[in-house]
Amino acid sequence: MTADLSFEPARTSIAARDGTTEVMSAAIQAGRLRLPFNVRAGMPAVSYLNRGAQAGRLLRGRAPLNLSGVRLGRGGCSIRLGDHPMAGRMRLLGMQRQPFLTITAERWGGQLGRYTEAR
């Protein structure tokens, strides 16, 4: 897979492809409400790798969210899914619908923690 990312002050966009087949493209507008403080949190994350020492294992961990320049918005998102099998899974999850809320940040930092095998 390859992805082209574009970061602008008021908009972020992505186009993901598998070879020449489009998986998805999306654009997110920065919201109008800017938080006057930084946000520090973590969220659960999963990973499944096809290659390497952990190939074939579902891994769980936490992704740090050390965010600054956070903006909240309504709508402001366009999503187009292609004909790739992964896009079909995204459709089943409802990922082509308009989100209720968008959250963007000027900066996202943090060090990934340890991932362990999901049981």
Side-chain angles (χ1 to χ4, degrees):
M1 289 242 186
T2 59
D4 295 321
L5 300 164
S6 173
F7 299 99
E8 301 169 25
R11 180 183 171 167
T12 300
S13 59
I14 181 173
R17 290 173 301 289
D18 186 3
T20 59
T21 304
E22 180 183 57
V23 176
M24 59 95 53
S25 63
I28 301 170
Q29 295 294 124
R32 293 181 188 224
L33 176 63
R34 183 182 174 115
L35 296 183
F37 51 86
N38 294 342
V39 175
R40 186 177 175 143
M43 67 180 197
V46 295
S47 177
Y48 183 86
L49 305 174
N50 291 326
R51 296 184 212 133
Q54 300 290 340
R57 296 181 183 159
L58 180 64
L59 304 174
R60 290 182 193 229
R62 294 200 58 79
L65 297 173
N66 299 325
L67 307 172
S68 61
V70 176
R71 292 183 174 272
L72 306 177
R74 292 276 320 232
C77 182
S78 64
I79 302 166
R80 185 178 72 224
L81 299 176
D83 293 326
H84 191 273
M86 185 176 284
R89 289 184 212 121
M90 294 167 79
R91 273 187 197 85
L92 290 173
L93 292 170
M95 294 178 69
Q96 78 279 14
R97 292 187 230 134
Q98 276 293 317
F100 174 73
L101 176 72
T102 59
I103 303 170
T104 60
E106 291 176 5
R107 296 192 194 290
W108 174 9
Q111 186 172 354
L112 288 175
R114 182 181 183 111
Y115 278 60
T116 58
E117 188 170 2
R119 301 204 186 268

